[in-house]
Amino acid sequence: MSGRPMPCSPQEIGSLFLFEKLGPEQLGRLCAEGRVEGFDPGPVYAEGDPATCFYVMLEGTVVLSRRVGGDDVEVNRTSQRGVYAGAMQAYLEERVPQVYNNSMRVTEPTRFFVLPADTFASIMREWFPMAVHLLEGLFFGSKSTQRAIGQRERLLALGSLSAGLTHELNNPAAAAVRATATLRERVGKMRHKLRMISAGTYDRETLANLIEIQERTAERVAKAPVLGPLEAADREDALSDWLDEHGITEGWRIAPTFVQAGLDVDWLDRVADAVDEEILPGAVGWLSYTVETELLLDEIEDSTSRISHLVDAAKQYSQLDRAPFQVADVHELLDSTLVMLSGKIGQRIEVVKDYDRTLPRIPAYPAELNQVWTNLIDNAVSAMNGAGGDGGTLTVRTARHHDRLLVEFRDTGAGIPPEIRDRVFDPFFTTKPVGEGTGLGLDISWRIVVDKHHGSLQFESAPGDTRFQVLLPLTAPDPDDTPEEHA
């Protein structure tokens, strides 16, 4: 938007702090190649448009805003003479996209000194060559450093996740190995017991009854109820007494297995009625091995299912076989991230899931949202475990917030001190000890949520109650129109 042309005074230009050290000849050139324009209340330029001009305010009030989702969020409002905005990186020329990084509007009649971007670039290079070299080095050096540290942070995160996943996989894998070894032993004993029974003088009907009892016992194991400690102890006592009364040795060892399988005294009475008294100890022993094999098979099934679940969670987390941009369920993404980070979360932190399962799937970059969840959960865990902390509660909540989807991470840590709250999203800023944090987690999260998903990332913090809130649109633009994350 163009303003009204106005006279340009070198003396007025020289009174601005940006130009106060320039000589008369330089100020004259600025007025000759630049211009003064007046603007009525309203927009001056829009975020994302080609950055064609460098603006320095002479008088008035300006408001700078950034586009977040469907809203313009005000980031600065000032009436200070000499503030500047617009094509501030024109001296970098084509090496970076020359677009306005924010929108600017004025709230009252305002005058600007306006310098075309190409003129600003040539003047900078001609008058301040050393400063330009230093600024270029700072700009590209920080980008390179950020990229290198970001890659290192991803490698460290991958190592941490791999260690956690390995630990989580080791437990069910070891349980399956133990159960398999025990199962082999029990099957061998069951074959031996069957051989002893079949070697006796038992008729075909008695053996058929034993087989039928075995089948019904296996079915009983599959439907065994979960008992409380007191009820389980009472049943064990009753079963031990029954086994002792019927002359069965080691009843104290067999009783807990029968209780776990859901067997009771009534069941054993039916077994005693179905077989002759002389073969009852052998029959009970054979059924004991049957129960143990069924329980061991259940344990192996649970262990292998746990391994499969962990592998699926890792696959979901990495999104290796998925398109980068897709319609995703945020709850699946959150669950896979929590599984991957379960080793780091540890036992001292309670995880509470408060999900609104009625929320729709949303268009997103799932792998990158998982990176956001990882960063926010990692920070919450550090806040609760660090500085002598003894754990706490991590609450992960989803909800609908107007026309957006809210994902909130709440921790019970010490909170964010007021003096640093304005800096938490700055690149390289971290409160973690040296060597433990790069200061890129929240910066990367911000760019993924705001720049790539057109959402917003904000937080509220008080001692014992810190909440990071991610707001994502329920609909998204075509992925080809979505800006790529900056390096």
Side-chain angles (χ1 to χ4, degrees):
M1 175 180 176
S2 298
R4 300 183 305 277
M6 293 184 170
C8 180
S9 165
Q11 289 75 21
E12 184 179 31
I13 298 300
S15 67
L16 302 175
F17 65 84
L18 199 61
F19 305 128
E20 61 185 359
K21 299 297 183 181
L22 300 182
E25 184 178 345
Q26 293 172 311
L27 293 173
R29 180 179 173 183
L30 287 177
C31 268
E33 300 188 23
R35 59 188 183 273
V36 172
E37 292 184 3
F39 289 82
D40 292 326
V44 177
Y45 63 74
E47 179 180 352
D49 288 347
T52 58
C53 295
F54 177 68
Y55 293 84
V56 186
M57 191 180 73
L58 294 169
E59 62 177 350
T61 300
V62 299
V63 176
L64 299 179
S65 61
R66 291 289 305 273
R67 194 72 173 170
V68 178
D71 304 320
D72 282 319
V73 178
E74 182 177 319
V75 295
N76 194 17
R77 178 187 295 256
T78 182
S79 299
Q80 180 182 354
R81 291 185 75 246
V83 296
Y84 51 89
M88 294 184 294
Q89 297 176 343
Y91 59 88
L92 297 173
E93 297 177 334
E94 299 303 323
R95 286 173 290 177
V96 298
Q98 294 296 329
V99 296
Y100 292 119
N101 293 324
N102 50 43
S103 296
M104 183 167 72
R105 61 186 175 88
V106 297
T107 58
E108 61 177 324
T110 301
R111 289 190 307 129
F112 290 98
F113 172 67
V114 183
L115 199 59
D118 54 352
T119 302
F120 174 57
S122 62
I123 286 178
M124 284 287 292
R125 291 187 172 279
E126 180 181 341
W127 291 354
F128 313 106
M130 183 175 177
V132 168
H133 286 305
L134 291 172
L135 288 171
E136 287 177 338
L138 177 64
F139 181 83
F140 291 110
S142 65
K143 288 290 185 182
S144 177
T145 301
Q146 184 172 341
R147 184 161 48 248
I149 293 180
Q151 291 171 350
R152 176 63 175 169
E153 184 180 58
R154 288 184 177 92
L155 287 174
L156 291 173
L158 178 61
S160 177
L161 290 172
S162 298
L165 180 61
T166 302
H167 175 75
E168 291 296 317
L169 286 170
N170 182 65
N171 291 332
V177 170
R178 289 193 303 270
T180 302
T182 307
L183 177 63
R184 181 176 288 109
E185 177 189 355
R186 295 296 184 270
V187 170
K189 290 183 176 180
M190 187 166 64
R191 288 197 302 266
H192 176 69
K193 187 68 71 174
L194 179 60
R195 190 182 306 115
M196 292 175 58
I197 292 175
S198 61
T201 57
Y202 310 122
D203 57 35
R204 179 175 296 180
E205 183 179 354
T206 300
L207 291 175
N209 286 339
L210 282 174
I211 297 299
E212 183 182 356
I213 291 171
Q214 182 187 37
E215 293 295 330
R216 296 209 310 267
T217 301
E219 293 174 2
R220 190 77 173 249
V221 174
K223 301 176 183 178
V226 178
L227 303 177
L230 292 178
E231 186 178 2
D234 290 341
R235 283 201 182 187
E236 287 180 18
D237 291 340
L239 286 175
S240 295
D241 293 341
W242 189 96
L243 293 169
D244 291 341
E245 291 170 2
H246 288 78
I248 298 172
T249 59
E250 295 190 338
W252 58 270
R253 185 186 64 81
I254 299 175
T257 303
F258 280 180
V259 170
Q260 186 180 355
L263 306 184
D264 53 20
V265 170
D266 292 339
W267 178 259
L268 291 180
D269 284 337
R270 288 198 290 272
V271 173
D273 293 339
V275 299
D276 295 334
E277 185 177 351
E278 66 270 14
I279 69 168
L280 180 60
V284 170
W286 188 40
L287 292 179
S288 173
Y289 293 138
T290 299
V291 169
E292 288 183 349
T293 57
E294 290 296 321
L295 293 175
L296 288 168
L297 287 171
D298 287 344
E299 184 177 349
I300 293 172
E301 182 180 14
D302 290 342
S303 299
T304 53
S305 296
R306 173 65 176 164
I307 292 171
S308 178
H309 174 68
L310 288 168
V311 171
D312 286 343
K315 190 176 180 181
Q316 174 70 251
Y317 180 82
S318 63
Q319 296 286 314
L320 287 176
D321 63 342
R322 312 292 177 86
F325 186 85
Q326 60 179 284
V327 178
D329 184 344
V330 294
H331 303 112
E332 293 179 357
L333 305 181
L334 290 166
D335 285 341
S336 67
T337 304
L338 287 168
V339 169
M340 294 295 292
L341 293 176
S342 58
K344 187 163 191 175
I345 293 172
Q347 300 297 319
R348 297 191 301 170
I349 294 177
E350 178 187 5
V351 177
V352 176
K353 298 178 184 179
D354 182 10
Y355 292 168
D356 180 358
R357 294 288 186 177
T358 65
L359 291 171
R361 298 165 69 89
I362 63 170
Y365 293 85
E368 299 194 32
L369 285 182
N370 281 340
Q371 182 65 47
V372 174
W373 314 149
T374 299
N375 292 336
L376 296 179
I377 292 172
D378 180 67
N379 284 346
V381 170
S382 297
M384 289 185 281
N385 284 338
D390 56 355
T393 301
L394 170 65
T395 303
V396 183
R397 182 171 72 94
T398 63
R400 183 187 291 267
H401 184 76
H402 303 305
D403 60 343
R404 294 192 285 180
L405 186 150
L406 167 69
V407 181
E408 180 183 80
F409 299 85
R410 177 186 179 190
D411 69 72
T412 56
I416 302 173
E419 62 270 17
I420 67 170
R421 291 181 185 175
D422 293 338
R423 304 173 60 195
V424 295
F425 294 114
D426 291 350
F428 307 112
F429 177 76
T430 179
T431 59
K432 296 178 182 177
V434 175
E436 292 187 15
T438 62
L440 289 178
L442 289 178
D443 173 50
I444 290 172
S445 299
W446 172 272
R447 286 185 282 127
I448 290 173
V449 172
V450 176
D451 295 340
K452 199 150 191 176
H453 287 85
H454 301 281
S456 66
L457 175 58
Q458 60 200 34
F459 70 91
E460 302 171 359
S461 185
D465 186 3
T466 296
R467 308 181 186 202
F468 275 84
Q469 298 171 328
V470 177
L471 286 163
L472 298 169
L474 296 174
T475 58
D478 186 88
D480 293 335
D481 296 332
T482 305
E484 293 297 324
E485 179 187 349
H486 299 307

